[in-house]
Every structure is written in structure tokens, then in C-alpha cells.
Amino acid sequence: MSTLAAYATSTGEAFQFWVLGTVAVIGALCTVFMKKAVHSALCLAGTMIVLAVFYLANGAYFLGIVQIVVYTGAIMMLFLFVVMLVGVTAADSLKETIKGQRWLALLCGLGFAVLLVGGIGNASLKEFNGLGQANSAGNVEGLAALIFTKYVFAFEITGALLITAAVGAMVLTHRERTERAKTQRELAEERVREGKHLPPLPAPGVYARHNAVDIAGLLPDGTPSELTVSKTLRDRGQIRDVSSEALSDLRALEQRADERLGRSGHAASSTDDAASGGKKEAAK
Amino acid sequence: MSPVNYLYLAALLFAIGATGVLIRRNAIVVFMCIELMLNACNLTLVTFSRMHGNLDGQIIAFFTMVVAAAEVVVGLAIIVSLFRSRHSASVDDASLMKL
Amino acid sequence: MENLIALLVAAPLLGAAVLLCGGRRLDRGGHWIGTLLAVVSFAVGVLLFTDMLGKDPEHRAMHQALFSWIPVEGFQADVAFQLDQLSMTFVLLITGVGSLIHVYSIGYMEHDERRRRFFGYLNLFLAAMLLLVIADNYLLLYVGWEGVGLASYLLIGFWQHKPSAATAAKKAFLVNRVGDMGLSIAIMLMFTTFGTFAFGPVLESTSETSEGMLTAIGLMLLLAACGKSAQVPLQSWLGDAMEGPTPVSALIHAATMVTAGVYLITRSGAIFNGAPDAQLAVVIVGAVTLLFGAIVGCAKDDIKKALAGSTMSQIGYMILAAGLGPIGYAFAIMHLVTHGFFKAGLFLGAGSVMHGMNDEVDMRKYGGLRKYMPVTFVTFGLGYLAIIGFPGLSGFWSKDKIIEAAFAYDDGIRGWIFGGVALLGAGITAFYMTRVMIMTFFGEKRWQPDAEGNEPHPHESPRSMTIPMIVLAFGSVFAGGLFSLNESFVKWLEPVTQFEHPHPVISVPAITASTVVVLLLGAALAYVMYGRKEVPVTAPRGSLLTRAARRDLLQDDFNHVVLVRGGEHLTRSLVYVDHTMVDGAVNGTAAGFGGLSGRLRKVQNGFARSYAVSMFGGTAILIAATLLMRAV
């Protein structure tokens, strides 16, 4: 591994750079342009893993591992967790609402990239020492020696910062309950007062072939009642309506039976398929 | 290959992240883009560390990570409480500062 | 003895304070307090006069420093009095005539329920007027100047329930403000030029001052004198001021206050001596006013307004004389004193006539009154003879000297012009005074019952009114002769005003003779016009000049057209400029900024992302600039 941190990069590292660099750029672009936040988060995680590899390649072994553990492991998971909390399926519209914002942003981004690249290109970066000597006693040991000597105050202060951040996060997300929680009796009385469903909501429909939770139960007049399906599915619009489907199934079955038996009339239907008959009754 | 290429890559990633901050409306994605920019900076720090042959760059990158972690914790907490009160994570919805 | 000087002012001031603050309980005896304090002031004046007579002529001036009023570094204003021969003359005139008029007012204002207040105002006037003449610096003089203006305002408007009186008071006040402005500017100029306003230092250092500055100060003083003494162009208030009670007209608007301008010019003689242009302006103002007042006096049917025109004309004589320099100062003051006697007497006579005629002022409704009021007739007649300059009476001595001095203005055409004007004025004076005399006391009675059927019953006035008239008549007859005896008056004033013998362009006896001829001609003309035939009760239409003179030679129309309309146009155009240009600039700027900020406001759309773009763009520009600078 120490050869990677030599004065000149090896061919292997160059190959690795070009391949993984492409992946990193694509990942970054996807982070920006994916419609769903989840996808963005996953793409960013990919980019970060690539960056971890680059850290390792640059001789920063400790940082590479920390990058994987802290960034991709902890921070990105925190992101995903919040994305779940906020709504995992909600896709953003990428249509710009502020006039001229997109073009200004792209112009600025492009200009900034050009400036940075130009700046780096113009800078005299001929000096190239490599970390061989610095890492001679081991990368972790070298870092530790620095952190606990030269950077010890900064290190202490970051400790304070982390504690502050933890307290801050708690303060921001914690919601103080300002009133007593209602008891079941009070909730029931409230429902009576408001004239809403006194008993529990009806269960989803049960049919011979469909008793799934996403299928609404039918009211006496044959129309499906959305109340029988859970609120989450209702909000997502994932209710399946099988009332017409069952009828058409039945009709197709009867027709097939008639064709097979070569008779026209429906005298034999009851003998042929009792189950479908029962289902027909239920459908009616 | 010269390690300077890492710097070019970092510049590119930084610019992409900055553009993302400006374009995206979802606060979480905006936040991710900020993380991307921080990571790009870390890459330059690590690369400089290698170029100069000492570990100070890595130390600073390390501190950046710590600060980023703290920042993410607080930032996400803000986003969550914002979402709770507004039922939206769009940064454009919090536009009460205009006249 | 010098410590008594302050008592001159203090006595009437005390009277004013007591009477004005004392309330109703003084209603019964208040007029006696006021009169007593005026007499006290006169007595103090006489005491000081006798003391002064006992001294060497060069060292007669007395001085009393009371306290330092505004002691500031480089700005010293003291309340200090200076009593020299000039001030002494005025003090005696003011307190003497003033006391007489206080006595007269006791009878005249007998039926007025606000008599106490009237006497308070009179005392206030006396205090202010005395302060004016005994002040030893211009600032204190200014205090007195404003004080007499206030007293004049209060007394003209004393019958404030009459709108005409209230308006007249306001008019007098406003016109006087113009003159007061002149005096305040003159004082400021003096302070910047001399660094002080005390008479002594100012008047002694005039020889070291540029003529231009002296001319400026002189013209400002002349403006002040014009305002207070009702000289053209600030003459318009005096005629209307006759709305006040007649004793006020006699005391303030004939004998004393209106002569303050003459005092000011005479006192500032050193300044005018150094500024011939200002002196010429003074002479011109005096000459113009002399004719102006005389012409107005010829046309008025209101006895008091005819006398007011006469006053204006006589003060014109004084101003004319004062403008002549050392050859005229003494005669100006002499005429002032004699005029004080006979004009006060004439006004008191007019008041006596009005008193007996139910306050009727129109002379066309008098006639033949000599039988009904003999004392008034005799005293008024003596005053009449004095004012027209009948040989031997007061007016003859003083006016004749002024005419001589006017002829001596210079050897050329100006001497002839000013002398001729003064001579012509004497003729017109004789004309209008004879007219007043004939219309009032001679001919048939012309009075009729008024609207309510009260026929006037002319009667002689009470003793309190006739005695002052008699005293003043004595003054009218003998004062001039006494003053001219051995040139005593001129010598008396010489230490203050200097004196040079005038050298008229024609010989003195010729002037005297022509004066007498002119006044006889004027009187004869008046007799022909008014004495030979019946005077119509309603005024005939008259010639163009008569009609103009009845309207005070269109002075109010002139003021209205030039000042009021001009002022209106000026303010309107200023308002227009203010609205269009000033407001336009201000509002335009505001609207410009408003529009600009309306546009800029759109940048502040509240979206954090927009702000982020600005920040990011700014950063990019900064980096670009940095790189560019490094590259360069």
C-alpha cells in the first residue's frame, strides 16, 4: 500500500483514478439530477465510497476507513432515515419555479468550475513529496501524534461541538407535549360528539379470490367503500377495485363453460361451477 | 498520472455540488449537495497532504468530517422540524422573507 | 441729581403696571393715579432741567448707568440713560404735554367704562417714550421704540369693538413693523461697523467710517423714521390712526410719538453729516411728505383726519430740516416743540368740539360753533394762528427758520426747489387750516338730528378739558418767541447738535416777507372758497385732485396694487415654483428611488436559493478578480 503514496503514481492508480473518477462524477451528477431523494442519497453514497477509495489511494488510510464508516455508514443512513420520514416516494418536480434561476445556477457552476480548474492549472504544483516518510510509523499513529499534540485544542473543541450538535438536534426535534394525552373513553366520546364512525372502520373486502388489504369492501349497493382500506394506501392511491373485475371474470367463466358443453342456456351453470355461482351471489 | 488530477476531480465535484444547491428545491437533496461539496474539499486536503508529504491536511480533513457530522445532525433536525410544521421539505416554501 | 433720571421712566411705568394689573378696584380712582404719576415724571423733568440750567453749557449732559443688560464678551448692552439738552427738551415736551393730556382725558373719557385701562396705556406710552429719548444706546432706544409702537397699537385700537379701530390699529402696527425692521438693521450694521451701539462711541467714530456704510445706516434710520413719523412712503397708517380716542391723537399721533423719527435723525446727526446722499434722501422724503400731507389735509372733511394730514405735513417740515444738517437740526427740534404745543392744542380743541357734538367728526355738519364753545374757539384759534405761522406766534418763528434753512440747502437749483416746496407748503397750510377754522366755527349751523333723532346740543367742555387747552394755547402763542429770543433755543441745543447759520439763496427778510404773503394768500383763498358762500352739507364731487386727496392721494390703493397684489403674485409664483420645481425635484427623486427600489425589490424574492446564487456568483467574481490580479 505504501507504494501508492510514492512520488509518482503507478499505472494501476491511474487506471483506478480514471475508472472510479468517472463513476464519482456520474454519481455526483445523479445526486443532483435524480427526481427522488432516495436515489440521490444512494448515488451520493456511491460517490462517497469512491472518494474513500481515493483517500486510501492517497495514503490516508485512516480517513478512508472513517469516510466509509462515518459518511457512508452513519451520515448517509441518517439521510435515508430522514428521507423515509419525509416521504420516500415523493418525487420532486425538477421544473424550475424561480425565473432564470436554473440558467444562473448553471452559469455560475460552470464558471466556477472553469475558474477552479484554471486556478489549479495555473498553480505551481510541481512539488510532490509523497507520504512515504510521514506514514513511516503508520498512518494512524502519525495522525494520532498530531491530533493529540499540535491539534489537541481543536480536537477538544470539536468534542464540545459534537455535544452541542447532539443537544441541538434534540432540542429541535423534540416536541413538548402541552396537554394530557386523551384516554380511550375520551376519544370515543369525541367521536360520538362529532357523529363520525362509532365502531371501528369496516374491514377490507373479502372475496373468494381477493381478500387483500388493498381491496375495498363493497357496500350493499355494490359500490366499493374506500373507508375499508387503510389511510396510507388511500393516500397513495393504491386501492384496487375488483368489483367489476369479478363480474367480468364470472361472465368469461360462464361463457367458457357454455362453449365446452355446447349448450346455450344457463341451466348447467349451477352444476358446473358451484364456487363461481356462490361468488356471483356474493357479488350481487 | 499526476496527483493533480485529484484536484481537478475535486473542483468538478465541488462545482456540481454547488450547482445542485442552487437548482434543487428539496432541502434534503440540497443538504446532500452540500455534503458533496465538503467531500470535494476533503479530497483536495488529502491530495495536498500527499503532495506536501505531511499529515496536517489529513488532520484538517478529519476535523472537517467531524464538523460535517455535527452539521448534518443539526441540519437534518432542522429539516425534520421544518417538515413537521410545514408538511413540506421545499426550501422555496420558506420564502416569507420577501416583501 | 443724576440718579433721578431713572425716575422719569419708572414713575409712568409703575403707573402702567399698577393700572393694568390692579383690576377693577382701581376703576374709580385709577385715572388719578395715572395723572399723578405723569405729573411726578414732569416734576422730575423740571427738577433736572433747573439743575441742568445751573451748569456750564458744555457739561450739561447727565449720565446714569442702571445695570448691565446683556454682558457678553464683545457684546455689551447696558441699561443706561443719557440726559443731554436734546433729551431734556423731549422729556419736558413729553411729560408736560403728556400731563396736560392726562388731565384732559379725565374729562374726555369720563363715560368710558374702560378708563382705568386707558390711563394704564397712556402711562405705558409715557414710559416707553421717555425710555426712547433718554436711552444712551441704540438698543435701549429700540426697546422704547417698540414700546411706543405697542402703546400706539393698543390706544388706536382702544375702541376695539369698532372694526375700523381694530383694523386701523393693525394697519399702524404692520406699517410700523417695516420701519422697525429698518431700525433693527441699522443697529446691526452699527454693531458690525463700530462694535457697539452706545451713542457716544458710535457718533464719535463716524469720521473713521466709510461713507458707503454711513449712507447705508443713514438710509435704514430714515426708513425707521418714515415708519414711526408717518413719512412717505410709510405714511398710510396715520390717517386711520385717528380712530383712536382724541387725547391719543393729540399726545401720540401729533405731539410726541410721531416725532420720534425726527429725534432719531437728529440724534444720529453725526452719521448723516458723514453721508450727504442719505441727507438728500431725508430732505426729499421730508419735502414730499410736506406737500403730501398738506394736500390730503385740504380735502378731508373729517376734522381729525384733516389735522392728521396737517401733522404729517408739519413732521415733513421737521424731517426736511433734520436732513439739512447742522443748519437745520435745531430748527427741526424747535418746530417739533412748538408743533407739539399747537397741534396738541388743536387736537384737544377738535376733541372738545366732538365732545359737544355727539362725537360727530364731519366738519360739514359743524358751523357757527364759536358762539357755543367760546373757550374752545379761542384756544383753537390761537393754535390755528400758530400753525399757519402768523407773525409773532410760535409757528412763525420755527417754520420761518426751516424755510430759510431749506433755501440754504445749497447755492444751486436744489436750494430753490426745497425752499420753494417749504414755502408752498406754508401757503397750503394756511389754506387748509383756514378751511378747518371756517367750517367749524364760522358760518351758519349745519348740524341735524342723527338717525335716532338726537339733535346735538353744542356746549363748552368741562374744566378738566379746557384748562389743558388754555395752557397749550399759551405755549402756542409764546413758545416760539421765547425760543427765538436771543436765539436761546439754538444755543441751548448747540452742544448736542452743533449749529451753523444758514445762508439762503435769497435774503432772510425777503423769505420772511414772502412767507407772510403766501400764508395770507392761502388764508384768503380758503375764505373765498368757504367763508363767502354756504358750505354744502354733503361734499361736492370735486376735482380729480380733490377726490384723490380724499382717498389719501390713493396711498391705500397704491399699497394694495403694489404691495398686496405684488405680494400675492410673488407668493403665488413662489408656491408655483415650490410645487413644480422644489416639490417636483423632491418628489421626482423620491419617485425615482421608489421605482428603482420597486425593480430592485424583485431581487429580494425571499427564496434562499436566489440569495445563494448571488453569493455564489459574487464568490466566483471575487475569485476571478483575484486570479486576474495575480495574472496581471
Side-chain angles (χ1 to χ4, degrees):
Chain A
M1 287 290 274
S2 62
T3 50
L4 284 177
Y7 294 97
T9 52
S10 62
T11 322
E13 193 188 345
F15 177 73
Q16 182 198 0
F17 174 80
W18 290 116
V19 173
L20 290 183
T22 316
V23 172
V25 170
I26 290 172
L29 286 173
C30 287
T31 307
V32 173
F33 291 111
M34 278 293 173
K35 276 194 171 186
K36 292 194 173 181
V38 184
H39 297 165
S40 290
L42 290 174
C43 292
L44 184 61
T47 307
M48 284 180 173
I49 289 172
V50 170
L51 287 180
V53 173
F54 284 157
Y55 291 171
L56 293 173
N58 275 323
Y61 310 123
F62 179 71
L63 277 187
I65 300 304
V66 167
Q67 170 84 359
I68 290 174
V69 172
V70 173
Y71 256 112
T72 42
I75 293 182
M76 287 322 295
M77 288 315 110
L78 205 57
F79 266 107
L80 284 174
F81 190 73
V82 172
V83 167
M84 293 295 173
L85 210 66
V86 167
V88 68
T89 55
D92 288 350
S93 159
L94 285 182
K95 198 172 179 338
E96 187 54 64
T97 48
I98 305 174
K99 195 182 161 198
Q101 170 80 10
R102 170 166 298 172
W103 299 113
L104 272 175
L106 287 177
L107 184 72
C108 283
L110 211 63
F112 207 74
V114 168
L115 278 174
L116 287 181
V117 169
I120 294 166
N122 275 333
S124 59
L125 295 167
K126 303 292 170 252
E127 192 187 10
F128 189 65
N129 296 326
L131 280 170
Q133 198 187 347
N135 273 349
S136 57
N139 178 247
V140 179
E141 285 82 351
L143 282 181
L146 273 176
I147 282 177
F148 293 113
T149 55
K150 191 175 173 186
Y151 293 101
V152 68
F153 282 113
F155 185 69
E156 294 290 343
I157 290 169
T158 49
L161 178 71
L162 281 173
I163 290 172
T164 314
V167 173
M170 210 182 76
V171 167
L172 280 170
T173 49
H174 179 71
R175 229 180 339 185
E176 194 78 27
R177 183 178 277 283
T178 54
E179 54 188 7
R180 184 175 55 83
K182 287 172 182 158
T183 60
Q184 265 191 327
R185 167 173 277 276
E186 281 168 341
L187 287 171
E189 281 168 354
E190 200 171 86
R191 279 208 296 276
V192 172
R193 260 201 306 279
E194 289 174 2
K196 286 205 274 196
H197 292 277
L198 297 186
L201 291 175
V206 176
Y207 300 100
R209 295 188 186 179
H210 301 281
N211 56 357
V213 289
D214 62 340
I215 293 175
L218 299 183
L219 294 172
D221 61 350
T223 53
S225 167
E226 293 196 345
L227 281 177
T228 59
V229 183
S230 85
K231 185 169 175 288
T232 313
L233 295 177
R234 241 180 338 201
D235 285 351
R236 289 189 187 169
Q238 287 176 333
I239 301 174
R240 273 199 289 157
D241 181 7
V242 293
S243 55
S244 54
E245 197 180 314
L247 290 175
S248 61
D249 278 2
L250 192 63
R251 211 173 294 123
L253 197 68
E254 282 177 350
Q255 201 179 350
R256 267 205 312 277
D258 286 349
E259 280 168 8
R260 200 188 314 156
L261 295 173
R263 61 178 181 194
S264 58
H266 46 276
S269 63
S270 58
T271 56
D272 239 335
D273 205 331
S276 67
K279 188 176 161 189
K280 184 181 167 189
E281 290 302 310
K284 278 172 184 171
Chain B
M1 186 199 79
S2 160
V4 175
N5 285 349
Y6 286 113
L7 298 179
Y8 289 124
L9 175 66
L12 212 55
L13 291 181
F14 187 90
I16 292 170
T19 314
V21 169
L22 300 182
I23 288 179
R24 294 306 297 260
R25 262 168 299 172
N26 190 331
I28 303 170
V29 180
V30 169
F31 217 34
M32 286 185 220
C33 292
I34 291 174
E35 292 305 315
L36 183 60
M37 288 159 78
L38 280 170
N39 270 294
C41 291
N42 277 352
L43 181 59
T44 56
L45 287 171
V46 168
T47 310
F48 282 134
S49 168
R50 185 184 179 189
M51 284 178 170
H52 290 290
N54 59 34
L55 293 175
D56 292 271
Q58 291 187 16
I59 299 283
I60 294 176
F62 172 71
F63 284 132
T64 310
M65 279 183 190
V66 177
V67 172
E71 174 223 344
V72 164
V73 169
V74 175
L76 286 178
I78 289 175
I79 288 173
V80 167
S81 62
L82 203 70
F83 183 77
R84 263 192 207 151
S85 62
R86 295 184 167 272
H87 299 287
S88 156
S90 169
V91 291
D92 283 4
D93 283 352
S95 62
L96 293 175
M97 277 205 303
K98 65 184 169 193
L99 291 167
Chain C
M1 193 54 81
E2 292 184 348
N3 296 333
L4 285 176
I5 298 176
L7 196 59
L8 285 172
V9 179
L13 198 61
L14 175 74
V18 166
L19 290 175
L20 292 179
C21 307
R24 295 255 169 82
R25 76 195 79 145
L26 292 175
D27 273 354
R28 289 180 63 196
H31 48 282
W32 291 113
I33 298 176
T35 311
L36 180 71
L37 286 167
V39 173
V40 164
S41 195
F42 178 61
V44 172
V46 171
L47 202 62
L48 288 166
F49 178 60
T50 50
D51 180 61
M52 194 179 268
L53 281 180
K55 289 182 188 170
D56 177 36
E58 289 299 322
H59 301 97
R60 278 175 175 167
M62 287 188 263
H63 207 270
Q64 182 187 9
L66 214 54
F67 57 90
S68 191
W69 179 19
I70 310 173
V72 182
E73 179 72 32
F75 180 97
Q76 193 69 28
D78 294 336
V79 175
F81 304 126
Q82 172 187 317
L83 191 68
D84 56 11
Q85 290 90 329
L86 180 62
S87 298
M88 193 71 235
T89 313
F90 271 89
V91 166
L92 289 178
L93 175 73
I94 294 161
T95 54
V97 177
S99 300
L100 288 176
I101 282 169
H102 272 76
V103 172
Y104 177 89
S105 301
I106 294 171
Y108 191 84
M109 302 298 284
E110 196 172 1
H111 305 296
D112 197 303
E113 57 186 18
R114 293 163 72 229
R115 181 164 63 169
R116 171 182 60 84
R117 185 177 291 269
F118 181 80
F119 276 85
Y121 291 158
L122 277 187
N123 274 2
L124 178 66
F125 167 76
L126 276 190
M129 189 73 201
L130 288 167
L131 183 65
L132 195 162
V133 295
I134 65 174
D136 95 319
N137 60 63
Y138 280 98
L139 201 63
L140 199 58
L141 180 148
Y142 188 65
V143 175
W145 189 271
E146 292 295 329
V148 295
L150 170 70
S152 164
Y153 167 79
L154 291 170
L155 287 166
I156 294 171
F158 186 73
W159 288 322
Q160 56 203 213
H161 51 85
K162 286 197 295 185
S164 58
T167 314
K170 197 160 73 181
K171 186 177 180 184
F173 197 79
L174 285 177
V175 176
N176 266 301
R177 295 310 309 165
V178 181
D180 296 347
M181 192 54 69
L183 183 54
S184 57
I185 292 173
I187 292 174
M188 293 179 215
L189 285 176
M190 280 176 203
F191 185 72
T192 55
T193 312
F194 306 109
T196 174
F197 350 84
F199 288 145
V202 168
L203 300 176
E204 277 158 19
S205 54
T206 48
S207 54
E208 299 141 25
T209 314
S210 72
E211 192 184 323
M213 179 52 76
L214 289 178
T215 308
I217 296 174
L219 288 177
M220 284 299 119
L221 289 173
L222 173 63
L223 182 64
C226 283
K228 200 56 89 188
S229 297
Q231 299 296 292
V232 174
L234 298 177
Q235 80 289 2
S236 64
W237 64 273
L238 186 61
D240 293 344
M242 296 303 134
E243 289 293 339
T246 304
V248 172
S249 308
L251 177 62
I252 299 183
H253 305 122
T256 55
M257 186 193 84
V258 285
T259 59
V262 183
Y263 172 77
L264 185 68
I265 291 175
T266 311
R267 175 60 79 192
S268 314
I271 292 172
F272 284 96
N273 292 344
D277 291 338
Q279 270 186 321
L280 180 64
V282 174
V283 173
I284 290 172
V285 164
V288 169
T289 313
L290 185 167
L291 288 179
F292 188 101
I295 292 170
V296 170
C298 292
K300 291 287 184 184
D301 290 330
D302 180 330
I303 185 168
K304 283 178 73 179
K305 292 203 171 168
L307 290 177
S310 161
T311 304
M312 206 187 287
S313 171
Q314 298 303 314
I315 297 171
Y317 270 111
M318 299 169 208
I319 296 277
L320 171 66
L324 295 172
I327 58 171
Y329 292 135
F331 301 133
I333 301 301
M334 186 161 133
H335 191 56
L336 193 155
V337 176
T338 56
H339 174 258
F341 284 120
F342 55 67
K343 185 53 64 67
L346 286 171
F347 264 109
L348 294 190
S352 172
V353 169
M354 287 160 57
H355 193 72
M357 294 293 289
N358 290 357
D359 287 334
E360 177 60 61
V361 291
D362 191 348
M363 291 188 290
R364 292 185 186 275
K365 295 180 181 161
Y366 292 165
L369 287 176
R370 66 180 187 279
K371 286 173 283 189
Y372 300 93
M373 0 181 120
V375 180
T376 307
F377 168 63
V378 171
T379 55
F380 196 94
L382 289 173
Y384 154 74
L385 290 176
I387 193 173
I388 65 172
F390 194 79
L393 275 70
S394 289
F396 169 78
W397 299 108
S398 53
K399 199 191 285 178
D400 191 53
K401 291 289 183 192
I402 291 178
I403 296 170
E404 277 175 32
F407 272 112
Y409 180 81
D410 62 4
D411 293 335
I413 186 79
R414 285 179 186 168
W416 282 100
I417 290 175
F418 294 132
V421 166
L423 197 59
L424 181 62
I428 303 176
T429 307
F431 173 79
Y432 66 72
M433 283 315 299
T434 311
R435 174 174 175 269
V436 168
M437 196 68 196
I438 291 172
M439 286 174 83
T440 306
F441 292 103
F442 293 92
E444 297 304 313
K445 67 164 191 167
R446 292 187 297 275
W447 61 86
Q448 289 139 1
D450 61 10
E452 289 144 22
N454 298 330
E455 192 167 342
H457 299 286
H459 56 85
E460 190 50 85
S461 299
R463 193 75 54 82
S464 67
M465 288 168 72
T466 51
I467 288 173
M469 287 154 62
I470 293 165
V471 174
L472 289 170
F474 269 99
S476 309
V477 174
F478 299 114
L482 205 63
F483 292 162
S484 300
L485 205 65
N486 206 11
E487 288 193 328
S488 57
F489 193 81
V490 172
K491 284 178 182 154
W492 158 255
L493 277 183
E494 197 176 351
V496 183
T497 60
Q498 278 89 47
F499 180 69
E500 291 169 18
H501 273 283
H503 301 288
V505 284
I506 45 177
S507 67
V508 175
I511 293 173
T512 309
S514 51
T515 310
V516 173
V517 169
V518 164
L519 77 89
L520 286 177
L521 276 177
L525 184 64
Y527 175 72
V528 168
M529 284 178 70
Y530 298 97
R532 297 275 295 278
K533 53 194 174 191
E534 189 58 25
V535 178
V537 176
T538 49
R541 195 170 134 79
S543 69
L544 198 63
L545 182 64
T546 314
R547 274 179 280 151
R550 278 191 196 131
R551 302 195 57 173
D552 299 306
L553 289 178
L554 306 177
Q555 61 185 13
D556 292 334
D557 306 80
F558 176 81
N559 285 349
H560 188 76
V561 170
V562 175
L563 298 176
V564 179
R565 293 262 182 80
E568 278 174 359
H569 283 296
L570 181 67
T571 48
R572 249 181 246 148
S573 51
L574 284 179
V575 165
Y576 177 76
V577 167
D578 185 52
H579 275 226
T580 53
M581 296 177 72
V582 178
D583 284 6
V586 172
N587 292 343
T589 313
F593 276 105
L596 193 65
S597 50
R599 303 246 152 70
L600 279 176
R601 193 173 64 166
K602 286 179 184 157
V603 173
Q604 299 286 333
N605 53 11
F607 294 118
R609 291 191 296 141
S610 282
Y611 302 151
V613 165
S614 324
M615 276 173 64
F616 192 48
T619 316
I621 290 169
L622 274 182
I623 290 176
T626 314
L627 288 178
L628 213 66
M629 291 312 290
R630 285 173 68 95
V632 171

